[in-house]
Amino acid sequence: MQTRAYRIETAGGTPRLATIDLPDPGRGQVRMTIHASGLNFADLLTIQGRYQDIPEAPFTLGMEAAGEIEAVGDDVTELAPGDRVAVFGGCGGLAGAGLFDAARVVKLPDAMSYEHAAAFLVAYGTGHLALARRARLQPGETLLVTGAAGGVGLTAVEIGKLMGATVIAHARGADKLAIAREAGADHLIDDGDDLRARLLELGGVDVVYDAVGGDAFRAAFRACRPEARLLAIGFASGEVPQIPANHLMVKNLDVIGVYIGNYLKFRPEAFRDSVATLFGWYAEGRLKPHVSHVLPLDRVEDGLDLLRSRRSTGKVIITPCPLTRCRHAP
């Protein structure tokens, strides 16, 4: 079959929409119609050649997607044509259809739309693994989330609140802070304020969930309580902070790296356990993915520009459609 796809054809090349041939699934693979694909800041880094895990060209962009199984490889037994699924494939999501490793595919709760599913695995999976497994966040602790209105930040606000933390949201502008409040934030700090001073006024923090880096990380670092944990999620500011090890000693601090992509390689059961917990919370109505924009595949560059210019909140979703047919999400 043929499908449209947003592709990088050569290393360092500019991505473009193209029509590609998609073969039948091989061993351990599934082919799925893609109804929705979630954009991530990592897509921008991949295009720039700066991401830590870039496939060999040519490849189709798009880390996560949701849709319907069309066909399965001979040895795939837990998935079948017609199943509603999501995939954290790492690439391949910005297309009308794609081939993915079956081990990366999860079945969706009946009540979950494709748009919500495409907004779920990377952001919520990162938040839950980071806070529950890596930081061991406890009820009553104070959690700071930087970039709190973005894709991964907003989900961390939700998850932290569900886990019983007092949540401080740090974001740029009243509109973004209002969205963080709706997600459960107890305290709001504007990006233009003195972050360290405001955090100290609130008594300091036990866990920092930082996807920004740069000045935000440094200010949060200086406002940590003893035995605090700082989660390095990403560096949207463009600056990777340098950490003074002597300060770690004085306050007995932990700095913890979180990269969800590697969990599917060295501990996939941890990722699947997190997703099962999160899907349960979603089915109970305790999680509400925030999607600020839904755009068709031929406007994917507009979607990426929304991320680049920080004009989106939560997730930007792309809705591809295969050349062969177009079946819409329920």
Side-chain angles (χ1 to χ4, degrees):
M1 64 171 287
Q2 288 188 318
T3 187
R4 291 193 305 162
Y6 190 63
R7 304 269 290 174
I8 290 180
E9 297 292 347
T10 59
T14 300
R16 291 183 175 85
L17 278 173
T19 298
I20 62 171
D21 292 318
L22 203 62
D24 292 332
R27 292 183 58 83
Q29 289 184 319
V30 301
R31 187 175 70 210
M32 59 183 278
T33 301
I34 297 171
H35 293 303
S37 179
L39 295 184
N40 292 276
F41 192 77
D43 293 315
L44 295 177
L45 297 178
T46 298
I47 292 169
Q48 296 165 6
R50 296 170 52 206
Y51 195 56
Q52 61 262 26
D53 193 5
I54 298 178
E56 184 177 347
F59 67 93
T60 298
L61 287 153
M63 296 181 67
E64 60 183 330
E68 182 179 337
I69 298 291
E70 288 186 344
V72 301
D74 290 340
D75 58 338
V76 176
T77 59
E78 296 185 1
L79 297 166
D83 285 347
R84 300 176 64 251
V85 296
V87 60
F88 177 16
C91 62
L94 286 170
L99 290 178
F100 301 98
D101 290 342
R104 288 176 169 259
V105 176
V106 294
K107 293 182 182 179
L108 299 182
D110 291 339
M112 182 174 278
S113 70
Y114 289 125
E115 289 176 2
H116 278 184
F120 210 86
L121 294 185
V122 172
Y124 281 100
T126 297
H128 188 261
L129 279 169
L131 295 175
R133 184 183 181 89
R134 301 289 282 139
R136 307 171 304 282
L137 179 67
Q138 300 299 308
E141 289 190 314
T142 297
L143 166 68
L144 167 68
V145 180
T146 66
V152 294
L154 197 59
T155 58
V157 171
E158 276 192 281
I159 293 168
K161 193 63 180 175
L162 280 177
M163 293 178 67
T166 297
V167 180
I168 304 170
H170 177 249
R172 181 176 299 175
D175 291 345
K176 290 185 176 182
L177 289 171
I179 290 170
R181 184 183 290 281
E182 290 176 8
D186 299 284
H187 303 284
L188 308 175
I189 301 177
D190 191 272
D191 184 57
D193 294 345
D194 185 329
L195 178 57
R196 176 175 178 263
R198 289 291 311 280
L199 292 175
L200 292 176
E201 288 173 4
L202 293 169
V205 294
D206 299 298
V207 174
V208 176
Y209 184 98
D210 178 53
V212 176
D215 290 340
F217 183 94
R218 284 189 288 271
F221 184 90
R222 297 174 65 198
C224 281
R225 295 170 177 165
E227 293 193 331
R229 288 86 73 202
L230 296 96
L231 295 158
I233 307 297
F235 313 105
S237 68
E239 181 183 348
V240 178
Q242 303 304 302
I243 300 164
N246 57 324
H247 290 193
L248 297 178
M249 293 171 57
V250 171
K251 286 190 177 180
N252 291 285
L253 304 179
D254 293 337
V255 178
I256 303 168
V258 182
Y259 173 44
I260 188 175
N262 269 348
Y263 271 100
L264 285 167
K265 299 175 183 177
F266 76 89
R267 192 144 300 165
E269 70 277 7
F271 173 76
R272 288 185 171 273
D273 288 347
S274 277
V275 170
T277 297
L278 292 163
F279 277 177
W281 286 348
Y282 180 91
E284 294 167 3
R286 301 171 74 188
L287 296 176
K288 298 178 181 179
H290 176 81
V291 175
S292 65
H293 297 80
V294 179
L295 301 171
L297 184 59
D298 59 9
R299 291 188 59 196
V300 64
E301 291 177 6
D302 292 337
L304 291 168
D305 190 57
L306 288 168
L307 298 187
R308 189 180 295 111
S309 62
R310 309 289 197 272
R311 288 182 289 126
S312 62
T313 53
K315 294 287 280 196
V316 175
I317 299 298
I318 302 298
T319 53
C321 185
L323 290 176
T324 52
R325 59 190 176 281
C326 183
R327 295 179 299 202
H328 295 289

